Every structure is written in C-alpha cells, then in structure tokens.
Amino acid sequence: MTDQQTTYQDKACEGIASPTLQTNLSKLQDRFGKGAMKYWAEMDDQQMRDRVKSSRMNTLEHLDIVISELAKNIRKRGGHVYFAESSEDACHYTLEVAKTHNVKTVVKGKSMLSAEIGIDPVLEENNIEVVETDLGEYIIQQAGDEPSHIIAPCIHLNRENIGRLFESKLGIDYTDDPPTLAMAARKALRKKLLSAEMGLTGCNLACAETGQISLVSNEGNIRMSTTMPKVHVALMGMERVVATFEEHRETLQLLTRGAALQKLSTYVSFLGGPSSGNDPDGPAEFHLIIIDNGRSKILASDEFKEVLACIRCGACLNICPVYGKIGGHAYNATYSGPIGAVVTPLLEGINKHADLCKGETLCGACLDICPVRNDLPRMLSELRYKLAYGDNTWNVRQHNIKESYLFSGWKRLVTSSFLYRNMIKAGRLLQLPFVKESPAENNSPQETRVTLSGIAKGWTRDRDLPPIAKQTFTEIWQKKYANRQQNSQVDQPVSSADSQQKEHANE
Amino acid sequence: MAREKVTLFIQCLVDTMFPEAGVAMLTTFDRLGIDYDYPIEQTCCGQPAYNSGYRKEALAAARHFIEIFENSEIIVCPSGSCVHMVRHHYRLLFKEDPAMLARAMEVGDKTFELTEYLVDHLGVTDVGATYQTTVTYHDSCHLSSGLGITRQPRLLLDHIEGLELIEMDNSDTCCGFGGTFSVNYPDISTAMVDEKIENILATGADIVTGCDVSCLMNIGGRLSRRGEKVKAVHIAELLAGRAGGAQ
C-alpha cells in the first residue's frame, strides 16, 4: 500500500511538473474531450449509445455462446483459435507459434493487451526481435519508455524530444519537423515490415456472426503487420466480441468517434483467417488468442461486469480532470485514466492499486463522455467499499484502519444530534490554537483561517480553511428564527445595505 | 398562492462553517413568502462516508436523515452534492432492504437543490435581488453532471439586478475537491484547483459563485492562500442581495 501510494503520488507530481505533458494534455482534452461531448449532444441518433450499451451487456450475458460462434466461424475459414486462461498461457502459445515458424522478427500493431500480458520481454528473451509499428508506440519503444495514453502513447513527449531520440536511435540529423521525423520512422519500419516473419496485433472488436476480427488504425501499419508476415497472431480480450454485424457497425462507429472524433478511422481491417485461393491477400497462418486473464471473475461479479462493456476508445482519458493533470504514467499500469483506475485493480489486485481506487474526485465526467455510458464512478465507489471493510471474493484486506476508526467515530456523531452539536462546540474551542488571523497586507477574502495537522494537513498545506463559525446555522436558527412570527410577506426587493444589517453569521 | 412548507436541509458544512449561506437562503424565502422549518436534529447526509467506501456508516447517517425528513412536505438544500447523495445514492444503500428503500425513495423524490426548487418547482427566476458585482459561475460536478442542473442557477443570476455574469472556460471541470481526495492527494487536488482559478481570474469577475459550499470552500481556500482578490460566494448570498455588493 505504501509503495503504491508513493508511486502514484510521486509520479503524479512528476506529471504535474512537466510543462510538455501539461500543454499536450490540455490540447488533447480541449480537442477530443470537448469534441466528443459536443458530438454526443448533437448527434442525430440519440438512442445509439444506449442501444450499443444494451447490446454489449446482452453479449456479456451470453458470452460463452457468442465466443463459441466466433471460434467456429474463424476455424471454418482455416484460422486457429486458442483460449488462454492467463497471460502466461497466452505468452506461451504465442512463443510456440513463433518458434514453429522460426520467427526472428515480430512486427507489432499497437495492442494494449500485449502490454497487459507482457509478451514483448518473453519474445525478446527468446532472441526474437520485437518492433512496434504504430508511430507513437515505436517512439515509446525507441525511448525505452512507457505509453501514457491508451491511444496517444507518447502524449508526454514533444517533437524536440522525438527529434533528439531519432537523432540518437536512427542516426538521422536532428530535426523537429514532424513530416521529416515521420518519414524517418517510416523508412526504418518499412524494412522491418518487409522482413518480419510474424505480425502480432490486438483486436478492437470481433464479430461472431461473420467470424472476423476488426482493427482500426490511422497509419496503415496494422494492414501491413497483419498481411505481409507469413503468420498473424491476434490477441483478443474475451469481452471484445459482438454478436452480429449490425452491432459491430454501431459499436465501431462509437469506438472511432470516442477515440478521435472520427466517423471512421483511416483504415479498418477485417481479418478472419489465412489467405486462400479466392482471397490471396493475407498471412499463411492466422491465430486468434482469446484471453481471459481475470476477465471471467469480473464477468461473474454483479458490481463490475459493466466494465467489460468498455470498447477501449480512451475517451474517458480525454476528459478526466485528474488524468488531465497527472498523465498516464502515474497509474503505473497498462491501462491509465478512469478506465485504468477501475480495470487495473480488478485485474491486478485491489489492495495493490488502492490509490487508483481512491485517487479520483468522482466528478462523473468519465460517465458523461463514455460512448457506452459505463458508470466508472459507481465502480470506483464499489472498489472503495471493498477497501473499507475488506472482501473475501476479491481477496481484499481492509485498506486503512485509521480511516475506518475515523468513520466509525463519525457515525456516532452523525446519528446523535446531541453528540454532534456538542462536538461542534468542542471543535470550536479546540480549533482556537490553530486559528490564525490573515496577514494584514493579504487582501484575502477570509479574515481567519485554521491550520490542520495530522491526517487532515494535506488540506491546509495549500489552502486556507475557515474556522467553525462563531454561531452555527443551527444556533442562529434557535436564536433568531425558531420562534419567529410566520410569515410576514415581504414582497419587494431587499437592497444590499438593508440585508447587510439583518444578519451576519460571525457577529 | 399556497405552497408547501419547506423543510430546510442545511448541509453540515453550511451549518458549521458557512452559516451565512443558510441565512441568505432564508432571506430569499422570506422575500418570496415561502414558509419553512428547520429540524435541528439534522446532522450530515452521509456523503463523506459514502464516497470513501464506508457504506455501513453512510447507511446509518442516511437512516438518521430519513427519520428526520420523511414527514416533510418538501426538502430544500443549498448543496447539489448532498441532494445528489439523498436522491441517487440512498436508494443504492438500501437496495437490499425493501422497507427502507421505499422510504429512501420517497425522501429522495422530494429533496431539491435550492436553485432547482426556485426555478423548476416554483417557476421563479427573479427573486427580486440586487447585487452590484461581476460574477463567474462554477458548475459543481454532482450538481451539473449528477443532477443535470446548469440552467437554473444561470437563470437566477441573470435576473439579479446589477449583477453581470461572465462565463469562465471549462466551468464544468471539477475543482479538485472530491472530499477526502483533497486531503489524501493534495498535489493533484491543488493542480486542479489552480487550473480552475486561472479560468476564474481570466474572466476578471469579482466573485466566483456556485451551488455547493464544498467546492467554494476549496476554491475560496486556495484563492485566499494565493492572495487573490476574487471571493468565493455561495449563490444563496447573491440571491439574497446581501453583503459585499459594491454599492
């Protein structure tokens, strides 16, 4: 708990202190976050999001049947389908496929799931070169860095950073001209794409009815990674399937709108098996690995099943005010932002990622922007509930004993108005040593302030806190209002001057 | 006209730290001829515990609240987040207890936020206030996102004589308060409130207002620490047309 807290807080501070990150996130949220909200508000078909959500939830109810249908249809076309229970299982299978085909180089098309299961180091330990082909991910890989956004992985870097990186890694002259940098990457990547024996991708959506997976991209790298090498291995989270092609159409539209305000991404690849006589383009062998890695457990829980409706568009990152300040690295996990704050603890441990459960304001912006209206604030609240008392199903230990004592004391106060009122009176006395007059030269609106210590000192470190009022509202009520003559109608405006004399709380 | 008697739900922060907002609400009610009462047994709606995951404690607070308020005709509160708690979260707390659930839903359905009560329930947009000042409005999250209240406070502000409303950028972005969040994650919270303050300052307004003292306590506390001249004032005080106007 302590380690993780240090990590979250420390990495958050690093993000806050980075001018590049702050500028880039602000631009990103201004454009894509606001843009998506505007689009949702103005789109003609106002039922679409609810319809897709309901089809997502319906598919989750019958996931076993829908996945069987998908597997059956892909196998019919000569593709291989493997069900991996864990990340180890998925990595092992991928490695075996690579070894069978004597693979020396794997080209990857950006996949969050590949990071979740940790496939890169497994391949590299077996002397297989792994090359990211998504430009952002390629930059991250060259820098030995971690992605900081689900769809914009190098949002924390600027073109000067990338210019210096390419200068040292690709041996080109320094430039910060984006087209020149993109061409340099393209040149380096083309070589890899032409020589790699295996392509490794994720899966944005799979459609059971047609027996195909779909991948969206804007750079064309996915198309090359999936069709040029002789083997294509696609990693798919088991929830990422839709039943019918009609559902697929609508879900895909929400995905590209949510992700980057696009009606459709530049490329959408439909892949359903190896090349064949009448369909000569494509790999000689196609493998789909359908991965559980903790998802069954989420599927079985009433509280969290909804999170599997997520289509990983990343829209919640584009509006979250916390993510907008701290950036993706603070989450210290594959998935960042609001979706990461819910899904990471569920996949990797709620205690381990307690900070992700508690480190948001529950403002609700993620719920408003989510194309499928996933109620992430509700799920964060469920996670906090488990941390508050511990939970056997999810192997959660009570997170913070001190806090739990505090709230049981609080409960006594708020259920007894006698104790509550007296505690306020006591607090008014006890606060006296901590109440400070504001400096005279300070033109601040508050005349007095309190400085807190102990667990609450985080509040007054950067802010002033007004003291408990000399008379609470209840005390004013009892003195001035409780026995008033009801109700002399005063129907004309009261001027400021009049009302100023009427009552002042701190008189 | 015959109106229900309002039962005042004065949230704990207004009661203990910002009583002037509660008193201002009464000034407005008096002016509009609204009858009201205040059960002094009220404490806290349970929101701090609920948001931190302490549902058993929140449930105890909710039960206390329901017992006090269930016989009211209509309940009005100068805080969006507390109304959100009572209206939307009580029913989650009691979902396993049908008898309490029915009581919770009944109380939730008759609990209104101040500006919502005035505009939607009474149909009042001009409360007859005068306040010579420039104001910018902060949309607190649970009010705007949770209750969908964005239009009502602006309508009321627009009708205050002498008051000029200047909208800020990103008025509906969270101020970074988040209850215990601001205590546990002060660095993130401060970064968020500083951005809010930059947007407030850019308007040049003298006052930032809103319908939740918790957000205003956060924004005001930071404004004060930074030595800014802008004041954070609850909307009830503007509607009362009271202290602070440059008249």
Side-chain angles (χ1 to χ4, degrees):
Chain A
M1 153 195 151
T2 313
D3 278 2
Q4 206 62 29
Q5 176 130 2
T6 313
T7 308
Y8 183 67
Q9 299 258 34
D10 290 355
K11 290 200 173 182
C13 288
E14 283 172 28
I16 292 165
S18 159
T20 303
L21 182 74
Q22 295 303 314
T23 309
N24 293 357
L25 287 181
S26 165
K27 278 189 205 154
L28 174 98
Q29 294 200 330
D30 255 2
R31 180 165 169 214
F32 292 111
K34 283 185 186 170
M37 289 303 291
K38 186 164 180 285
Y39 181 77
W40 301 145
E42 292 169 1
M43 70 193 281
D44 289 333
D45 185 352
Q46 285 292 322
Q47 274 74 51
M48 188 176 182
R49 292 164 73 196
D50 291 329
R51 209 163 48 236
V52 171
K53 174 61 166 285
S54 115
S55 82
R56 292 290 297 133
M57 295 310 287
N58 191 38
T59 300
L60 291 172
E61 283 305 322
H62 307 96
L63 195 57
D64 49 345
I65 301 168
V66 181
I67 286 189
S68 306
E69 182 72 10
L70 172 72
K72 189 184 80 188
N73 286 333
I74 286 182
R75 282 172 179 148
K76 221 191 288 181
R77 223 179 271 117
H80 301 269
V81 180
Y82 181 73
F83 290 90
E85 197 184 331
S86 63
S87 54
E88 292 78 15
D89 198 2
C91 288
H92 179 74
Y93 182 87
T94 309
L95 183 61
E96 287 307 306
V97 173
K99 282 179 175 168
T100 306
H101 291 274
N102 202 19
V103 169
K104 305 272 188 302
T105 302
V106 170
V107 279
K108 278 181 71 188
K110 177 168 174 37
S111 156
M112 300 304 292
L113 184 52
S114 77
E116 178 190 320
I117 65 170
I119 184 70
D120 292 10
V122 172
L123 294 170
E124 281 158 0
E125 279 160 23
N126 285 275
N127 301 316
I128 298 168
E129 185 192 21
V130 179
V131 184
E132 280 289 354
T133 61
D134 172 88
L135 181 56
E137 291 284 355
Y138 179 70
I139 291 164
I140 292 296
Q141 190 187 29
Q142 294 301 311
D145 202 346
E146 297 288 336
S148 70
H149 186 286
I150 289 177
I151 60 157
C154 62
I155 190 78
H156 56 289
L157 301 175
N158 61 21
R159 55 194 172 135
E160 287 81 16
N161 302 144
I162 296 162
R164 292 287 167 217
L165 178 73
F166 280 14
E167 182 186 22
S168 77
K169 296 283 179 176
L170 302 183
I172 62 165
D173 291 338
Y174 172 79
T175 171
D176 62 7
D177 175 49
T180 311
L181 290 168
M183 278 313 288
R186 182 185 162 105
K187 203 173 145 195
L189 282 170
R190 277 292 151 106
K191 279 187 202 152
K192 299 295 177 188
L193 284 161
L194 289 168
S195 63
E197 299 87 357
M198 185 167 130
L200 181 63
T201 69
C203 161
N204 290 107
L205 282 180
C207 177
E209 185 183 15
T210 51
Q212 127 260 336
I213 68 158
S214 306
L215 285 158
V216 298
S217 85
N218 288 316
E219 296 163 21
N221 61 311
I222 292 281
R223 185 151 295 174
M224 294 189 83
S225 305
T226 54
T227 53
M228 299 189 66
K230 62 186 177 195
V231 189
H232 172 208
V233 175
L235 309 170
M236 172 189 148
M238 66 180 236
E239 80 284 11
R240 212 55 72 77
V241 63
V242 298
T244 67
F245 198 60
E246 177 56 20
E247 285 174 17
H248 180 279
R249 181 183 64 78
E250 294 208 315
T251 313
L252 189 73
Q253 281 181 330
L254 290 188
L255 171 64
T256 57
R257 284 287 182 194
L261 296 180
Q262 289 173 299
K263 190 172 181 183
L264 198 62
S265 49
T266 315
Y267 296 86
V268 181
S269 304
F270 288 9
L271 306 153
S275 58
S276 61
N278 54 4
D279 186 12
D281 295 323
E285 226 177 272
F286 173 75
H287 295 260
L288 177 64
I289 309 181
I290 300 176
I291 298 170
D292 184 329
N293 202 32
R295 287 163 176 76
S296 290
K297 191 171 182 183
I298 301 175
L299 183 64
S301 85
D302 289 340
E303 308 98 299
F304 300 117
K305 182 191 287 175
E306 188 186 1
V307 81
L308 296 178
C310 171
I311 53 176
R312 293 290 189 281
C313 66
C316 54
L317 283 71
N318 298 343
I319 201 164
C320 174
V322 172
Y323 174 85
K325 283 288 147 211
I326 68 179
H329 287 164
Y331 296 79
N332 200 28
T334 304
Y335 307 105
S336 58
I339 180 63
V342 172
V343 94
T344 303
L346 293 176
L347 293 175
E348 294 185 12
I350 296 173
N351 283 108
K352 181 181 170 195
H353 292 285
D355 268 315
L356 300 191
C357 308
K358 297 176 84 79
E360 296 79 23
T361 64
L362 304 181
C363 74
C366 50
L367 167 61
D368 292 341
I369 201 171
C370 177
V372 294
R373 301 189 198 279
N374 263 356
D375 197 342
L376 295 171
R378 178 190 64 76
M379 290 183 266
L380 286 169
S381 163
E382 298 285 356
L383 287 166
R384 294 177 187 189
Y385 177 37
K386 302 206 178 304
L387 284 168
Y389 306 105
D391 182 274
N392 287 334
T393 316
W394 288 90
N395 297 321
V396 183
R397 298 182 314 280
Q398 194 176 39
H399 172 63
N400 187 334
I401 303 290
K402 215 160 41 170
E403 194 180 73
S404 72
Y405 282 136
L406 203 75
F407 275 109
S408 52
W410 173 90
K411 177 184 145 187
R412 280 199 201 146
L413 288 182
V414 300
T415 50
S416 156
S417 50
F418 175 79
L419 282 178
Y420 182 75
R421 296 288 156 215
N422 282 305
M423 190 63 185
I424 291 169
K425 285 182 189 149
R428 198 152 42 202
L429 293 175
L430 290 170
Q431 75 182 354
L432 285 177
F434 305 100
V435 176
K436 288 178 190 144
E437 296 295 321
S438 283
E441 71 277 10
N442 185 347
N443 237 330
S444 75
Q446 278 157 212
E447 294 83 26
T448 52
R449 63 172 191 249
V450 190
T451 305
L452 298 175
S453 57
I455 54 168
K457 67 171 182 274
W459 219 84
T460 49
R461 193 193 71 184
D462 297 336
R463 297 173 192 76
D464 291 343
L465 183 69
I468 296 173
K470 287 180 183 140
Q471 285 188 78
T472 62
F473 179 84
T474 306
E475 288 158 350
I476 295 169
W477 172 270
Q478 287 173 313
K479 212 160 134 189
K480 302 265 172 79
Y481 289 89
N483 302 312
R484 75 200 187 284
Q485 280 290 88
Q486 188 65 48
N487 187 337
S488 54
Q489 293 263 355
V490 191
D491 237 332
Q492 69 274 27
V494 181
S495 77
S496 288
D498 289 345
S499 62
Q500 197 164 1
Q501 292 161 5
K502 253 190 147 175
E503 183 57 65
H504 196 272
N506 287 340
E507 68 187 3
Chain B
M1 69 190 255
R3 285 170 180 154
E4 304 102 324
K5 184 172 191 171
V6 167
T7 303
L8 303 168
F9 162 22
I10 301 294
Q11 85 203 88
C12 47
L13 284 179
V14 170
D15 180 37
T16 54
M17 288 158 84
F18 302 93
E20 58 276 14
V23 172
M25 186 163 116
L26 300 188
T27 306
T28 305
F29 283 2
D30 283 343
R31 192 190 297 145
L32 296 172
I34 298 164
D35 193 6
Y36 49 80
D37 203 358
Y38 177 72
I40 59 165
E41 303 82 16
Q42 63 185 278
T43 55
C44 168
C45 66
Q47 190 187 181
Y50 184 82
N51 285 348
S52 299
Y54 292 88
R55 293 197 183 171
K56 293 174 193 170
E57 287 78 1
L59 186 136
R63 190 184 288 277
H64 182 76
F65 183 95
I66 290 167
E67 283 165 3
I68 289 166
F69 284 95
E70 65 187 336
N71 293 321
S72 308
E73 288 178 73
I74 187 165
I75 303 156
V76 178
C77 174
S79 161
S81 68
C82 304
V83 173
H84 183 52
M85 175 71 194
V86 173
R87 192 182 293 171
H88 295 142
H89 293 152
Y90 277 13
R91 52 195 74 192
L92 300 177
L93 283 172
F94 293 110
K95 65 179 180 219
E96 315 280 326
D97 180 347
M100 275 309 293
L101 178 63
R103 291 166 70 188
M105 288 175 71
E106 201 190 316
V107 166
D109 290 344
K110 62 182 176 187
T111 303
F112 293 86
E113 185 277 328
L114 171 63
T115 65
E116 178 188 35
Y117 166 71
L118 291 172
V119 174
D120 295 348
H121 193 78
L122 295 185
V124 172
T125 51
D126 185 348
V127 296
T130 302
Y131 210 121
Q132 297 290 341
T133 190
T134 50
V135 169
T136 189
Y137 177 77
H138 165 64
D139 285 281
S140 48
C141 308
H142 292 167
L143 183 85
S144 61
S145 180
L147 300 174
I149 299 172
T150 54
R151 179 182 51 90
Q152 299 86 332
R154 290 180 167 85
L155 270 173
L156 290 164
L157 290 171
D158 277 344
H159 286 88
I160 296 176
E161 202 183 318
L163 185 144
E164 187 193 351
L165 175 64
I166 309 167
E167 293 284 354
M168 68 172 105
D169 280 347
N170 302 332
S171 67
D172 59 354
T173 298
C174 179
C175 71
F177 175 59
T180 50
F181 169 83
S182 55
V183 177
N184 292 329
Y185 304 94
D187 296 297
I188 307 172
S189 179
T190 301
M192 289 165 75
V193 73
D194 276 342
E195 181 168 312
K196 176 60 66 180
I197 285 174
E198 293 312 320
N199 286 324
I200 293 167
L201 297 179
T203 66
D206 295 326
I207 283 175
V208 53
T209 193
C211 301
D212 277 88
V213 293
S214 46
C215 311
L216 294 171
M217 178 173 83
N218 181 43
I219 297 169
R222 184 62 182 158
L223 281 168
S224 165
R225 180 64 60 91
R226 284 174 42 154
E228 308 287 355
K229 289 181 182 171
V230 181
K231 296 181 186 189
V233 176
H234 192 276
I235 194 166
E237 293 180 72
L238 302 179
L239 295 174
R242 41 176 295 137
Q247 283 187 319

